[in-house]
Amino acid sequence: MSLLEIEGLRVQFRTATGVSRAVDGLSLSVDAGQVLAIVGESGCGKSVTAMAILGLLPEGISRADGTIRFEGRDLLALTDREMQKIRGKAVSMVFQEPMTSLNPVLTVGRQIGETLRLHEGLGRRATEARALEMLRLVGIPEPERRLKQYPHELSGGMRQRVMIAMALACNPRLLIADEPTTALDVTVQAQILDLMRDLIGRTGTGMVLITHDFGVVAEMAQRVVVMYAGRKVEEAPVRDLFAAPRHPYTRALLDSMPRLTEGGEAPEELTEIPGVVPALTEPVRACTFEPRCPRASDQCRTLYPPFRECGDDHMVACWNPEPQPDAAVAEPRRQGEMKA
Amino acid sequence: MLRYMVRRILATIPVMVVVAIFVFSLLYFAPGDPAAIIAGDQATAEDIALIRESLGLDRPFLVRFGEWSWNILNGDLGTSIFTGLPITHLIAQRIEPTLSLTVLTLVFAILVAVPLGVLAAWKAGTWVDSAVMIFAVLGFSVPIFVVGYILAWLMALQLGWLPVQGYRSIGDGLWPWFRSLILPSISLGCVYIALIARITRSTVVEVLRQDYIRTARAKGLAQMPTLFIHGLRNAAVPIVTVIGIGFAMLISGTVVTESVFALPGLGRLTIDAILHRDYPVIQALVLIFSFAYVLVNLAVDLAYTLFDPRIRY
Ligand SMILES: Nc1ncnc2c1ncn2[C@@H]1O[C@H](COP(=O)(O)OP(=O)(O)O)[C@@H](O)[C@H]1O
Ligand SMILES: [Mg+2]
């Protein structure tokens, strides 16, 4: 049994312009000790998926169907009270914005301690001792002093370390990290990634790593799910995906990726792929990537492609996938066309 | 921190001086001659002049202001023209009901308004939110005396649960004292509750959109602790500010409330003084009310640092 198994997850939002299908039939699974990366352009439903797992979609305007099984329990069927026992304890989360994700009016110690008191029922002393231990673990210098400080007294990198300390305080079995390093500068990014990989490796925690940065994927993950407009369009082990991306969208993402080591600048949001993500309110019949796709054919305009095996442990939803590397001689890459 | 507090306290002194000048001038330049009032209808012009001279009313503005201020600093608020009694004495007699009423209303209003505002914010866009906001608009627009008379009629005259009018001193026991203030506090508190609830709602709505609220929920915190620990704490500064500003409404409200419920407090004293054109008393009361307002807002300023560690002076 996998640690996390999502099947046919569908998340819909009621919006002014109609029902928006933010996540549309997503399936994936994560094993204990495994890091699964979810990549895709902004707006493709990555964060919504994360919030659905935690049961924190906005009430009233959203609806989630399908199943999200965590250690065999369907999280979507649980009440909020039951979810409260899981959140922060068995499943915890690190968010993208370390500058705003910590409460500005509570001390760091208080915010880490809150999780511990809530889930571990520790007393004041024990809570403080454990919070201190966590700060040490995430490599924060002078942890005694930091405990009494407020978030605004810490740098962005330090705050993200605090977030990680908070998320790992109760030894979760699954960690969801939603673009954990996007807001940080490059050197700090590398440190934070190292830290997370190290801590997760030690405890055998499973991880869903959401990112749009393939550098991060290469660094951290074993498996990748590529999302486009609320759907999974490709899934493969990291190495295979890098070696031979099969979906034209994945190919485009990889091609538009800035070289992490050359610039020194953090990679921007990916905007280099021509065209825009389709409106999620329109019904899906044809392939949603077709208008932007260099490999589009008539078939793509009539029917959405099935998600199918296209190689060893490699799945893709495309009528005309990119060729396998050994076939590449016969059909050269059409990168020039795509950029046009 | 301590330095800031001292500085802030010292900074209120010029404010108080300006207030004092303003209060003094207000009545100095007000139409109506106190000497003529004292002298009565039958007095001749000479009589009035004589009285004016004996009261020192013929002296220049600055001299009179200086003397008045000096006396106040020495704890002498002057003498009532109408009763001939020292004003400090009159105020000492009347201060208890007013103080009781304002403090009780303040506490009661905050205890009702803040949770109401948080509730409306949490349920923003639902019927709960609408109900709270309709109540807030009503509370704001219905005058105190209307609320007061309706409450007195219903709760006291029809149901007989509470006294219709009158004040019981706290010395007579806590319960009678409290009972005598329930209806006045509710009437007086309505506007205040409306004001605080509205600000609380709009501030908390804004706060609930913040990332750290999501973090709190992701930690496994339940709705209520999220709202009241993480939400309210961040909304505290605007709420406390409006509590301070709204205190002015509370003061002016006591005047009406004390009349409706026949409470022998400073509000009644104010009305009597105005009716009798008892200028020194009016001056003293306006001054006291103004100082109370300044002090409450000083307390509000000092409270900021308590709620928000980012505020450092
Ligand atoms: N609160 C919301 N109300 C309406 N639509 C939303 C809301 N949150 C997300 N969405 C929709 O879900 C889509 C996916 O968003 P998100 O998961 O945040 O993207 P990303 O992949 O960048 O994390 C967005 O395009 C947006 O239209
Ligand atoms: Mg996102």
Side-chain angles (χ1 to χ4, degrees):
Chain A
M1 183 179 66
S2 294
L3 182 69
L4 178 75
E5 244 171 356
I6 298 180
E7 250 169 70
L9 176 67
R10 215 172 292 278
V11 180
Q12 306 187 319
F13 287 95
R14 242 194 0 246
T15 66
T17 50
V19 175
S20 153
R21 289 166 288 92
V23 177
D24 200 5
L26 179 73
S27 301
L28 54 83
S29 79
V30 185
D31 293 329
Q34 189 191 39
V35 178
L36 174 85
I38 302 180
V39 294
E41 286 169 296
S42 106
C44 70
K46 306 184 297 291
S47 299
V48 169
T49 304
M51 294 320 268
I53 297 172
L54 282 175
L56 288 179
L57 292 168
E59 274 170 56
I61 59 162
S62 67
R63 216 185 88 190
D65 311 291
T67 52
I68 300 177
R69 260 192 302 280
F70 174 72
E71 296 178 335
R73 288 169 91 188
D74 184 5
L75 299 186
L76 286 181
L78 299 185
T79 62
D80 190 56
R81 193 174 284 261
E82 289 166 325
M83 277 308 290
Q84 283 163 23
K85 295 206 183 77
I86 292 176
R87 282 185 214 127
K89 165 81 179 141
V91 181
S92 61
M93 179 136 181
V94 174
F95 294 97
Q96 173 176 355
E97 306 82 5
M99 306 313 266
T100 53
S101 290
L102 290 170
N103 193 321
V105 304
L106 300 176
T107 61
V108 165
R110 167 95 192 258
Q111 295 188 60
I112 299 175
E114 196 171 37
T115 323
L116 290 163
R117 262 201 303 269
L118 203 63
H119 296 296
E120 310 287 342
L122 296 184
R124 236 175 53 99
R125 278 275 168 69
T127 301
E128 199 175 305
R130 175 98 177 110
L132 201 63
E133 192 190 324
M134 286 313 298
L135 286 187
R136 269 202 202 100
L137 195 66
V138 297
I140 290 185
E142 301 176 80
E144 289 88 354
R145 195 164 66 89
R146 300 297 181 187
L147 223 46
K148 294 185 179 58
Q149 285 188 320
Y150 291 93
H152 71 272
E153 297 171 89
L154 307 180
S155 68
M158 284 297 154
R159 287 188 218 182
Q160 199 61 310
R161 283 172 195 267
V162 170
M163 283 296 293
I164 292 169
M166 226 159 73
L168 296 181
C170 300
N171 299 313
R173 267 106 62 200
L174 178 68
L175 178 68
I176 303 169
D178 190 352
E179 317 232 5
T181 57
T182 306
L184 304 173
D185 60 52
V186 176
T187 43
V188 182
Q189 270 189 22
Q191 290 167 7
I192 295 286
L193 290 178
D194 281 347
L195 174 70
M196 286 203 297
R197 199 180 34 216
D198 180 37
L199 295 178
I200 289 208
R202 259 193 248 178
T203 53
T205 305
M207 178 168 176
V208 175
L209 175 67
I210 292 171
T211 180
H212 56 251
D213 180 352
F214 277 104
V216 174
V217 175
E219 186 105 357
M220 301 285 293
Q222 284 98 52
R223 236 184 137 66
V224 196
V225 162
V226 181
M227 279 183 80
Y228 183 74
R231 296 182 175 210
K232 178 165 75 168
V233 295
E234 186 163 5
E235 177 172 357
V238 169
R239 201 178 299 215
D240 297 351
L241 192 92
F242 277 106
R246 302 304 301 278
H247 201 287
Y249 174 61
T250 313
R251 161 110 273 159
L253 282 179
L254 279 167
D255 287 343
S256 65
M257 178 190 141
R259 296 282 158 259
L260 187 63
T261 41
E262 285 169 20
E265 280 290 293
E268 299 287 310
E269 291 273 306
L270 294 169
T271 50
E272 288 92 353
I273 306 174
V276 287
V277 183
L280 298 170
T281 43
E282 271 151 42
V284 175
R285 256 177 249 105
C287 174
T288 44
F289 189 60
E290 178 274 323
R292 303 169 72 186
C293 185
R295 302 178 66 85
S297 63
D298 282 345
Q299 193 175 21
C300 306
R301 282 180 271 275
T302 46
L303 198 64
Y304 192 90
F307 195 69
R308 54 183 177 162
E309 198 105 44
C310 65
D312 185 26
D313 193 22
H314 198 145
M315 313 272 284
V316 72
C318 181
W319 292 119
N320 308 308
E322 300 271 336
Q324 296 260 34
D326 48 321
V329 190
E331 194 181 356
R333 266 175 62 181
R334 302 196 193 172
Q335 197 189 349
E337 261 173 71
M338 180 160 57
K339 292 272 167 169
Chain B
M1 183 63 213
L2 197 72
R3 246 188 60 217
Y4 163 71
M5 283 175 69
V6 171
R7 262 220 326 270
R8 186 63 191 74
I9 290 166
L10 289 179
T12 55
I13 292 175
V15 177
M16 300 243 193
V17 170
V18 171
V19 169
I21 294 173
F22 186 73
V23 168
F24 186 80
S25 329
L26 209 65
L27 286 155
Y28 181 86
F29 294 113
D33 184 351
I37 297 162
I38 296 170
D41 293 342
Q42 259 91 57
T44 61
E46 289 89 64
D47 291 339
I48 294 172
L50 210 63
I51 289 170
R52 189 177 289 140
E53 204 175 324
S54 73
L55 288 175
L57 294 179
D58 54 343
R59 289 172 304 155
F61 176 84
L62 275 181
V63 175
R64 283 177 58 196
F65 177 69
E67 189 187 48
W68 182 71
S69 313
W70 178 249
N71 288 339
I72 288 171
L73 285 176
N74 287 301
D76 177 10
L77 290 172
T79 309
S80 159
I81 296 173
F82 185 68
T83 60
L85 293 170
I87 295 172
T88 41
H89 183 74
L90 288 177
I91 287 175
Q93 270 183 345
R94 304 290 197 105
I95 199 156
E96 191 198 304
T98 304
L99 212 57
S100 303
L101 179 64
T102 39
V103 171
L104 202 68
T105 307
L106 190 71
V107 172
F108 154 75
I110 293 171
L111 288 183
V112 172
V114 171
L116 221 54
V118 172
L119 183 74
W122 176 36
K123 296 283 179 195
T126 68
W127 66 269
V128 178
D129 180 25
S130 312
V132 171
M133 284 306 105
I134 288 170
F135 171 77
V137 170
L138 280 179
F140 216 83
S141 42
V142 179
I144 294 175
F145 69 89
V146 174
V147 181
Y149 283 127
I150 292 174
L151 279 177
W153 175 79
L154 185 74
M155 305 298 281
L157 292 176
Q158 295 298 307
L159 299 168
W161 290 347
L162 292 164
V164 186
Q165 283 191 327
Y167 175 72
R168 299 288 296 274
S169 168
I170 197 163
D172 297 350
L174 217 55
W175 178 236
W177 168 80
F178 183 69
R179 261 170 62 92
S180 72
L181 288 172
I182 292 176
L183 293 183
S185 282
I186 295 176
S187 321
L188 177 57
C190 272
V191 186
Y192 210 34
I193 289 173
L195 183 72
I196 300 172
R198 286 189 71 131
I199 277 291
T200 304
R201 180 196 176 276
S202 61
T203 320
V204 172
V205 161
E206 196 45 51
V207 166
L208 290 183
R209 286 200 198 110
Q210 303 299 311
D211 291 337
Y212 51 78
I213 295 296
R214 191 182 59 184
T215 307
R217 293 282 287 150
K219 279 178 179 180
L221 220 60
Q223 293 277 12
M224 287 300 143
T226 305
L227 279 171
F228 283 92
I229 297 172
H230 289 261
L232 196 51
R233 195 68 200 269
N234 279 281
V237 167
I239 296 174
V240 171
T241 306
V242 89
I243 288 173
I245 294 168
F247 190 71
M249 279 181 352
L250 205 59
I251 291 171
S252 57
T254 55
V255 177
V256 180
T257 312
E258 287 179 11
S259 293
V260 171
F261 291 98
L263 305 178
L266 295 182
R268 287 293 299 280
L269 187 62
T270 310
I271 291 182
D272 291 345
I274 291 171
L275 290 177
H276 296 130
R277 300 209 179 191
D278 200 339
Y279 283 73
V281 176
I282 299 173
Q283 263 177 346
L285 285 168
V286 174
L287 194 72
I288 283 177
F289 286 143
S290 309
F291 281 4
Y293 182 72
V294 172
L295 286 178
V296 164
N297 281 284
L298 172 67
V300 163
D301 263 19
L302 295 179
Y304 285 165
T305 51
L306 225 68
F307 290 116
D308 195 335
R310 286 166 300 182
I311 298 178
R312 284 270 175 274
Y313 304 89

